Amino acid sequence: MFNQTAVNRSFWRATAHTASYTKLGHDATVDVMVAGGGIAGVLTAYLAAKEGKTVALVEAREVGGGTTGGTTAKLSAQHELIYADLLQTYGLDVAKLYYQANAEGLQLIRDLVNDLAIECDFEQMTSYVYSQKGKHTRQLEQEADAYKKIGAPGGVQQDMPLDIGRHLNTDSVLTMENQAQFHPVKFLNGMLHALEDEGGHIYQHTMVEDVQKQGDSFRVTTDTPYSITAKQVIIATLFPAMDPHSFYSNRLKPVTSHLLAFSSDNHLGGGMYISADDPKRTVREAWDGKSSYLLVGGETHPTGDSHSTEERYASLLHYAQRTFGTGNPVDYWSEHELLTPDRLPYVGILDEEQEGMYVMTGFNKWGLTNAGASAKLIVDLVLGKDNPYEKLFHPHRTWPSEATGGSGASSQTAPSLTEQVKELAAGDAFTTKVEGKQTGVYKDDSGNVHYLDLSCTHLGCEVRWNDGDATWDCPCHGSIFSGSGEVLAGPAKQPLKPIKPSH
Ligand SMILES: Cc1cc2nc3c(=O)[nH]c(=O)nc-3n(C[C@H](O)[C@H](O)[C@H](O)COP(=O)(O)OP(=O)(O)OC[C@H]3O[C@@H](n4cnc5c(N)ncnc54)[C@H](O)[C@@H]3O)c2cc1C
Ligand code: FES
């Protein structure tokens, strides 16, 4: 185990109550059905209800149970270094529009927090990208030039605020002012109350399984006996739960990052920080209502690669202890996200042949402010209104390059399966061949052994063991399964298949 005292759970989910909504218990008919209770789905459901639409929000697990519940929760249009790249590759209009979209997304969240009086530890902050030993000074300067051209507030400076400057020996830093941070799960909980006040219906523990056109509506079937009929359907399930023609499977690339939370008196001078240098580190303060905490993250990698997650946690811990003098973490967790080839999200019509069905995905690790802009865009599409970001975020825009999903084998031939199972610690797993078939062997906390077919139930890639979080992770589109095979994150909808070994 990575650390004897720390708990493998997201700080945000540990410090906010879980929203309580029941399963879909009857057939329903609404104007708009939103699948996915993360920030993208919740904001869209609320804005649609506010426009007078009848809305059902359907979440497979619990609201905030996906990536929004495991994020770093910086609300910033400073997406590491992106604007010089967008400017050079696609021109000033694209760079400017992307900045404007995210500035507006942040403003929308800021207004909602204020207008609805949502208690979610929202704080105004400056965002910082820093470079040590001059490694990325030139890139920071180019990005600062791009800021001037697109009208973003900030630029290069030599020093960090004193509080953090004494920990990080930086050479140059790039600021973006008037950004913010918040507690994402508390924010979602506040938005759910507001959605209910607008007449919205919320169903948890209800997985959307299929969407079929029926006349001028859609029939949405779920893993309950009931279905929802809706005029318009929005798929905000991180990886799209509907993927006709494998359009999204062929383009989205899942990556996983890791975070640690430390009880800490370190104060970070009103800033949120991310390194330009490798290995990338992201740092911010957080608050549980009583004490302050330091969040340290990084170690991003393709989901389900064969490297040990334990070692990744250990390297973050080593960094935090060396840099900030922290003790042991209280919480540690992993979260995954989807990258697009051009660094812009896919938000808009899901498929040209499916008018009335929309998608929100591919937020490239900066989905919070992007979700604000995207929710507004989707609701404008639903209402038939023009929106300035429709072309920018259109999923079927021209491709500069293609992403390739990766698959690969990670196998380990055991001298004797029985011996290996005997040696296996509770909560651990290994992969091996059983009767010629790649098999995952997991021992649960009660000592029961689970033999699993490692073919992902989405499209068949081989899942890999994540020893830090005790999950099976799919490298192709980011499905995550528990040790015993239950779906923790889609696109997969079915658990890993159990195998019966003949011994
Ligand atoms: C480690 C990490 C740090 C990050 N830090 C930042 C940051 O500081 N700032 C920032 O802007 N962005 C950050 N991001 C990115 C940001 O968190 C995400 O882009 C954003 O949370 C995605 O929100 P979402 O609503 O699209 O997805 P999610 O929050 O994952 O919500 C999707 C929901 O859909 C549900 N679902 C899935 N399948 C179905 C189905 N078939 N039926 C019904 N429901 C279903 C899931 O259970 C889930 O709750 C970070 C990402 C990671 C991984
Ligand atoms: S998530 Fe698509 S094959 Fe596993």
Side-chain angles (χ1 to χ4, degrees), residues 182-202:
F182 72 165
H183 188 306
V185 179
K186 288 185 185 170
F187 174 73
L188 290 185
N189 286 343
M191 287 305 306
L192 293 180
H193 292 307
L195 173 58
E196 282 185 295
D197 289 346
E198 295 295 336
H201 305 279
I202 303 163

Side-chain angles (χ1 to χ4, degrees), residues 131-366:
S131 173
Q132 295 171 304
K133 298 185 190 142
K135 283 188 202 153
H136 284 85
T137 302
R138 183 79 200 103
Q139 282 97 321
L140 296 193
E141 285 166 358
Q142 285 169 344
E143 188 78 354
D145 283 346
Y147 282 13
K148 277 198 201 121
K149 292 183 179 129
I150 61 173
V156 167
Q157 60 185 54
Q158 240 55 53
D159 301 314
M160 291 285 237
L162 212 55
D163 300 345
I164 184 145
R166 71 193 155 91
H167 297 295
L168 295 170
N169 191 12
T170 56
D171 182 73
S172 52
V173 292
L174 173 70
T175 61
M176 189 180 277
E177 284 120 35
N178 303 327
Q179 307 303 299
Q181 63 181 26
F182 72 165
H183 188 306
V185 179
K186 288 185 185 170
F187 174 73
L188 290 185
N189 286 343
M191 287 305 306
L192 293 180
H193 292 307
L195 173 58
E196 282 185 295
D197 289 346
E198 295 295 336
H201 305 279
I202 303 163
Y203 305 103
Q204 292 193 142
H205 307 290
T206 303
M207 185 184 277
V208 167
E209 289 197 327
D210 200 14
V211 181
Q212 290 297 334
K213 192 91 186 162
Q214 254 185 11
D216 62 352
S217 296
F218 291 96
R219 181 163 178 267
V220 181
T221 47
T222 66
D223 63 348
T224 75
Y226 307 104
S227 61
I228 295 179
T229 303
K231 287 254 180 292
Q232 282 162 314
V233 165
I234 291 137
I235 304 293
T237 52
L238 196 75
F239 191 95
M242 301 300 129
D243 185 12
H245 317 302
S246 301
F247 179 87
Y248 299 94
S249 304
N250 287 333
R251 288 165 175 85
L252 293 168
K253 193 172 164 211
V255 291
T256 297
S257 307
H258 308 276
L259 281 151
L260 307 180
F262 300 89
S263 176
S264 165
D265 290 330
N266 279 301
H267 294 294
L268 301 183
M272 316 174 284
Y273 305 88
I274 193 158
S275 65
D277 312 330
D278 289 324
K280 275 225 181 309
R281 299 292 181 237
T282 177
V283 180
R284 64 160 281 188
E285 277 180 83
W287 173 250
D288 71 352
K290 290 194 282 275
S291 326
S292 56
Y293 291 81
L294 181 72
L295 306 190
V296 175
E299 298 286 311
T300 302
H301 58 91
T303 302
D305 72 1
S306 48
H307 196 86
S308 161
T309 305
E310 290 254 357
E311 284 172 29
R312 288 181 164 128
Y313 283 132
S315 107
L316 282 177
L317 176 59
H318 180 64
Y319 167 81
Q321 290 180 332
R322 204 184 57 226
T323 312
F324 299 101
T326 63
N328 284 324
V330 286
D331 300 312
Y332 66 100
W333 70 100
S334 304
E335 200 52 80
H336 73 296
E337 170 63 314
L338 299 162
L339 307 184
T340 62
D342 60 4
R343 304 181 73 185
L344 303 172
Y346 294 153
V347 180
I349 188 127
L350 181 117
D351 183 64
E352 301 289 5
E353 291 164 16
Q354 297 272 15
E355 206 183 317
M357 180 141 64
Y358 304 99
V359 70
M360 310 173 82
T361 188
F363 288 124
N364 295 289
K365 294 199 287 167
W366 291 102

